[in-house]
Amino acid sequence: MALSGVEIFKHLPKTNCKKCGHPTCLAFAMKLAAKQASLDACPDASEDAKKLLGAAAAPPIRAITLGTGDKAVKVGDEICLFRHEKKFFNPSVFAVAIKDTEAGDAAAKKIEAVKTSEIDRVGQKLRVEAIAVIETAGDPAKFAGVVKQVVDGAPGVPIILVSKNPAVIEAGISHCADKKPLIYAATAENAEAMAKIAKEKKASLVVAADGLDALAELSEKVKGLGVEDLVLDSGARKAKDMIEQYTIIRRAAIKKGFKPLGYPIISFVGRDDALSEAAAAAVGVMKYASIIILNNVEKWKMLALLSLRQNIYTDPQVPMQVAQNVYKVGDAKESSPLMITTNFSLSYFIVRGEVENSKVPSWLAVMDNEGLSVLTAWAAGKFTASKIAQFITESGVEKNISHKELIIPGYVAILSGSLEEKLPGWKITVGPREANGLPTFLKARA
Amino acid sequence: MALTIPKETYSGKIYNVQLGSGAKAVTIGGASALPFLSFEGTFPNRPAVALEVADIAPDDWPETLKKAIGGVSANPVQWAKFCQEQGADIVALRLIGTHPDQQNKSPEEAAKVAADVAAAIDIPLVILGSGHAEKDTQVLQAVATATRGKNCAIGKAVEENYKTVAAAAMANDHKLIAMSQLDVNLAKQLNILLSQMGFDKERIIMDPMSSALGYGLEYTYSVMERIRQAALLQNDPMMQTPIVCDIGANVWKVKETMAPDAEAPEWGGLEDRARAWEVITASGMLAAGADLLIMRHPGAMAKTKELISELM
Ligand code: B12
Ligand code: SF4
């Protein structure tokens, strides 16, 4: 978080010597606060001032990368508390927990679940990104065995090693040392030993403490031991504690520039009941958890959670949109039907998906409406008969098709009359209202 | 470096709005901080959950949902009792049968259903028209009179019909649900218009317009967060009404709550998927500040109430 001019002023020499080109130290401090000057201009600035300003320029929440290669994921580096203030940048990472007692078949099933977790939603590929191996048996060899099973079974998937026993971590990390794993966790009891492993292996490290004061103290201590890539666990497990503690952490980091809490948050939301687990994870997604550890990653659960994450992390200023174009769906020919929709990603992908389901090759004209849905665009006067007519005419689609029939969304049936006037020679057909009516509709015509 | 808990100073507070009467009355609102942040404010009332009942058999509801309701859905009175047994805080009766495109039922028929339902339950009642702005004026007028004394919430008052609907609520001592279209300024504007015609702002529940998970949830979410901030941080009296989210109607028409397993194998089992869709939508609205949720699936409601307990 940026410092105010007055705060910066306190750390300047206060001699008003003008060497920086400003009449007073205070004037210079104001320029610094506004980021219109650099501290280098003051030859007499103390080391203390340089450190302070350097720290203030660092992002309020440190960016941490889990894993390496094309499956690596970045978390942290957020700058606001509410998505409407700017946007949330680095989506929460979902990880499934595999206990060392699950070695063998149970672990294999979860590994498979992660590998097949990818879904395609509104043009984005979403998946469970990581795997956490959890020590429960106190047995380094057993733990290392599961780590190896994960590394071999899901190559490249980032790993979180969970044990408070340094010997166990040591054994596990031997199978993934070069893969930038995340170690869970340094506590007041084992901080030195864990920091040593993290430093040696260039791993990221969770600091775990009960309560925020203890957490801040511990993160400073671990940082002092030379580990910078830290992640926080305040011990919150109940939804209430998650919202409260994560809010305080995020606020302290972003609004107060409080460095000891300026790291991403890890959240363990495991519950016996799968739907309760999903609800707790949802709270984490909305309220600042960067890494969310689930007991299980059932497909239905992940569909809901990944959709929520996508919603929360979209840019509130710019709706997701696709390029204006006449798209070919399947092996469309001259005689294939022509439909129109708007360029809101959601509208486009839903409609396209249903046209694909119908197996009827088609042309899909997508008109630029600044990313608004069909009804919203219509209500905003951006999906009107004259604008559609102009788009169809200028698109050149007539060269690709041998007919002159345009199918419009059922919700804008009201446009059909005026469209026939604006597009002389064209037949306007009103399609179903909901896109899921398209397969039946298209098949009936084919 | 010691941590000082960064607290907000809130100058505003959400109005308390009571529905129903007697032992089962429900009060919503009252929050003096952003959702669930008890370290800097108080939350005298937990968010309430209403289960929806329709005045006609809901043929267009997905199978999973019909199954969860059981055999009572052809009879609104039985259905409302069922909701009460299931642990709903409130029953939300939607008079969808009055819509001209549905069965175009008369205001008198609607009034009778509403009165019968109100008599059959002792938890509070929310009564919603069909969403046809013009027809709703007559329907809600008749319904409001027929349920006088029950301290219901009636709605939805919208830009096109707010005067008549609000007058009906006012004349019969009901609370009012006022809906605007996903816009902070429009929400405020409607509350101002209602106040200007003499409707007590402390009897309004605002509906910022809901949307389902995956289908615009983020718009509702951010509009609500902004409304709550205006209410609490800027102390804007026109934003301090409790918020209702009418989520069931949005959730149970999207593909994720309908597509059979075979059609979408990569989406997991329909039963779990559909219920989760309503619960996760609810969780989003709760985090953004909902004081009242209108839901459809009894199991999803139960799970949502569990989450609310965990959040309080
Ligand atoms: C989210 C939303 C917004 C967002 C915009 C989101 C976006 N990027 O478009 C915001 C908040 C900005 C917004 C603003 C407005 N909105 Co708005 N909005 C909605 C909401 C809640 C969801 C829209 C949505 O995303 N739908 C999902 C997409 C996928 O739907 P779709 O594009 O229509 O596609 C479906 C079908 O049409 C069909 N389909 C699509 N293409 C095709 C093609 C063919 C050939 C076929 C057959 C079918 C088909 O398939 C899709 C799925 O079934 C709806 C209400 C609702 N629940 O539907 C209101 C709604 C669309 N909005 C409405 C209005 C009035 C407005 C505003 C004018 C109000 C205002 N606040 O001033 C503004 C106008 C915007 C502007 N810039 O001026 C009204 C429109 C009323 C009407 N019938 O005219 C609605 C219906 C709300 C209502 N009930 O009153 N809105
Ligand atoms: S150069 Fe440094 S000491 Fe001199 S006026 Fe500028 S800020 Fe002050």
Side-chain angles (χ1 to χ4, degrees):
Chain A
M1 144 102 187
L3 295 169
S4 74
V6 176
E7 279 166 298
I8 296 173
F9 171 68
K10 288 186 198 149
H11 298 271
L12 292 177
K14 304 195 189 74
T15 54
N16 299 334
C17 75
K18 299 190 178 59
K19 280 185 264 181
C20 59
H22 295 276
T24 60
C25 294
L26 183 61
F28 181 59
M30 293 300 172
K31 289 282 171 194
L32 283 176
K35 298 206 168 15
Q36 290 163 352
S38 155
L39 189 61
D40 306 341
C42 168
D44 304 324
S46 66
E47 281 311 307
D48 159 55
K50 282 182 194 154
K51 231 172 101 188
L52 186 84
L53 283 169
I61 298 175
R62 191 176 170 86
I64 307 288
T65 301
L66 301 189
T68 53
D70 59 354
K71 294 197 174 73
V73 279
K74 180 180 158 192
V75 294
D77 209 2
E78 300 292 342
I79 57 165
C80 59
L81 278 133
F82 300 97
R83 58 187 294 281
H84 63 258
E85 292 170 341
K86 176 73 183 157
K87 81 181 269 241
F88 290 176
F89 289 92
N90 295 302
S92 325
V93 162
F94 292 111
V96 69
I98 302 182
K99 292 190 187 124
D100 51 10
T101 47
E102 292 177 310
D105 287 351
K109 271 203 188 114
K110 286 187 174 177
I111 292 170
E112 193 55 27
V114 170
K115 285 166 70 179
T116 56
S117 65
E118 187 166 283
I119 53 164
D120 196 323
R121 194 172 174 84
V122 197
Q124 291 182 343
K125 301 221 183 294
L126 311 170
R127 62 192 158 81
V128 178
E129 287 89 354
I131 296 177
V133 180
I134 318 259
E135 174 261 314
T136 60
D139 176 351
K142 193 163 186 178
F143 182 77
V146 185
V147 174
K148 182 160 186 329
Q149 193 185 350
V150 169
V151 172
D152 293 345
V157 172
I159 297 189
I160 304 166
L161 302 168
V162 182
S163 170
K164 296 196 174 152
N165 179 345
V168 169
I169 295 293
E170 197 92 63
I173 208 165
S174 65
H175 295 291
C176 55
D178 52 342
K179 303 201 163 66
K180 201 153 186 3
L182 173 64
I183 298 172
Y184 180 101
T187 63
E189 289 74 37
N190 68 15
E192 281 80 9
M194 287 295 191
K196 184 163 169 278
I197 303 174
K199 231 174 121 175
E200 255 172 44
K201 309 285 188 205
K202 297 197 172 58
S204 308
L205 180 60
V206 178
V207 288
D210 247 334
L212 298 173
D213 286 318
L215 187 64
E217 201 177 302
L218 186 62
S219 87
E220 277 202 295
K221 174 173 172 184
V222 173
K223 190 178 171 209
L225 293 167
V227 186
E228 304 228 297
D229 285 346
L230 301 181
V231 173
L232 306 172
D233 177 16
S234 64
R237 296 294 180 270
K238 256 184 71 187
K240 168 110 196 144
D241 299 333
M242 288 165 62
I243 288 203
E244 290 198 338
Q245 296 180 17
Y246 299 173
T247 299
I248 293 172
I249 291 175
R250 181 92 152 217
R251 258 195 217 159
I254 289 177
K255 296 183 83 171
K256 302 287 173 202
F258 185 70
K259 290 291 161 193
L261 296 181
Y263 301 99
I265 294 168
I266 187 168
S267 190
F268 289 79
V269 297
R271 301 281 194 281
D272 289 338
D273 179 80
L275 187 49
S276 302
E277 177 168 298
V283 169
V285 169
M286 295 179 284
K287 290 293 160 187
Y288 320 132
S290 284
I291 303 169
I292 298 175
I293 314 287
L294 298 151
N295 280 348
N296 287 293
V297 288
E298 299 88 344
K299 288 200 173 305
W300 58 267
K301 185 198 282 172
M302 295 323 297
L303 182 73
L305 288 175
L306 291 167
S307 303
L308 178 69
R309 184 181 79 181
Q310 183 179 50
N311 282 172
I312 297 295
Y313 280 83
T314 51
D315 188 337
Q317 267 77 43
V318 200
M320 289 165 69
Q321 38 190 298
V322 293
Q324 166 165 304
N325 202 349
V326 181
Y327 292 90
K328 215 174 165 174
V329 186
D331 186 18
K333 304 211 171 51
E334 284 190 323
S335 57
S336 301
L338 170 67
M339 283 161 273
I340 185 160
T341 188
T342 63
N343 77 326
F344 182 35
S345 287
L346 187 58
S347 311
Y348 167 75
F349 283 105
I350 292 175
V351 173
R352 181 173 182 119
E354 295 297 351
V355 175
E356 280 167 2
N357 283 348
S358 77
K359 308 252 166 22
V360 178
S362 304
W363 299 95
L364 183 57
V366 175
M367 181 172 157
D368 183 354
N369 302 90
E370 294 158 36
L372 293 180
S373 80
V374 168
L375 273 181
T376 315
W378 176 79
K382 289 176 177 143
F383 198 61
T384 60
S386 38
K387 287 183 179 159
I388 295 172
Q390 187 187 358
F391 163 60
I392 290 294
T393 313
E394 289 171 4
S395 72
V397 64
E398 283 174 72
K399 286 186 280 212
N400 295 330
I401 54 174
S402 56
H403 60 86
K404 282 193 167 190
E405 183 190 9
L406 178 64
I407 302 167
I408 63 171
Y411 281 114
V412 290
I414 192 164
L415 290 175
S416 68
S418 45
L419 252 177
E420 285 194 341
E421 274 170 37
K422 303 266 184 290
L423 278 175
W426 281 74
K427 179 181 170 212
I428 305 299
T429 299
V430 176
R433 291 175 146 223
E434 298 293 338
N436 61 16
L438 273 169
T440 317
F441 173 83
L442 288 172
K443 277 185 221 152
R445 298 166 37 101
Chain B
M1 227 192 289
L3 169 72
T4 12
I5 305 277
K7 289 190 189 172
E8 290 287 358
T9 15
Y10 300 103
S11 43
K13 198 174 147 221
I14 307 306
Y15 305 125
N16 286 295
V17 175
Q18 188 187 322
L19 298 177
S21 55
K24 298 275 180 68
V26 171
T27 303
I28 56 170
S32 67
L34 291 177
F36 309 112
L37 300 182
S38 302
F39 64 89
E40 58 186 12
T42 52
F43 301 86
N45 308 303
R46 57 176 57 212
V49 187
L51 267 187
E52 186 173 333
V53 165
D55 61 335
I56 55 172
D59 294 329
D60 56 347
W61 288 20
E63 283 311 314
T64 338
L65 183 54
K66 282 194 229 164
K67 213 174 85 191
I69 294 163
V72 293
S73 67
N75 180 331
V77 170
Q78 294 303 322
W79 189 355
K81 283 190 188 159
F82 170 78
C83 294
Q84 178 163 327
E85 283 156 23
Q86 292 290 312
D89 300 313
I90 294 173
V91 167
L93 172 66
R94 195 186 305 270
L95 299 162
I96 193 68
T98 64
H99 198 288
D101 296 345
Q102 293 275 349
Q103 297 181 14
N104 203 14
K105 290 201 177 248
S106 68
E108 294 70 34
E109 285 172 282
K112 174 150 186 352
V113 175
D116 289 350
V117 167
I121 55 174
D122 54 10
I123 54 177
L125 182 62
V126 164
I127 309 172
L128 305 170
S130 66
H132 188 281
E134 204 185 311
K135 179 78 183 277
D136 276 357
T137 57
Q138 307 154 35
V139 169
L140 292 173
Q141 178 81 257
V143 163
T145 315
T147 53
R148 192 186 163 81
K150 293 282 182 182
N151 194 19
C152 304
I154 69 161
K156 301 174 177 177
V158 294
E159 196 188 344
E160 294 82 15
N161 68 12
Y162 73 92
K163 281 192 180 145
T164 353
V165 176
M170 197 150 51
N172 297 286
D173 286 333
H174 293 305
K175 306 294 178 352
L176 182 71
I177 294 180
M179 183 175 79
S180 48
Q181 285 169 347
L182 274 179
D183 184 291
V184 185
N185 298 318
L186 292 178
K188 178 171 174 171
Q189 178 66 17
L190 188 54
N191 284 355
I192 293 176
L193 290 171
L194 286 163
S195 301
Q196 281 170 353
M197 64 171 276
F199 196 91
D200 181 359
K201 60 183 181 310
E202 301 192 24
R203 298 175 68 87
I204 300 172
I205 304 171
M206 92 176 109
D207 178 346
M209 178 174 274
S210 285
S211 36
L213 173 62
Y215 296 85
L217 174 133
E218 70 275 29
Y219 291 94
T220 307
Y221 184 87
S222 285
V223 165
M224 284 171 61
E225 286 202 325
R226 292 175 60 196
I227 289 176
R228 248 326 118 88
Q229 288 179 316
L232 299 171
L233 292 164
Q234 283 113 52
N235 194 15
D236 184 337
M238 289 301 159
M239 293 297 215
Q240 287 163 353
T241 63
I243 294 177
V244 56
C245 291
D246 188 3
I247 61 174
N250 288 293
V251 164
W252 293 97
K253 68 172 196 211
V254 306
K255 191 164 182 181
E256 285 78 357
T257 58
M258 289 187 290
D261 298 8
E263 201 181 298
E266 72 286 3
W267 282 0
L270 171 60
E271 202 109 345
D272 286 323
R273 185 205 317 145
R275 199 165 47 122
W277 217 256
E278 193 168 33
V279 173
I280 302 302
T281 304
S283 73
M285 301 299 96
L286 288 168
D291 299 285
L292 171 59
L293 297 167
I294 300 177
M295 302 181 66
R296 286 188 173 173
H297 191 295
M301 172 202 68
K303 199 46 77 176
T304 302
K305 290 188 75 165
E306 248 180 71
L307 176 65
I308 292 170
S309 295
E310 208 185 309
L311 286 165
M312 288 308 290

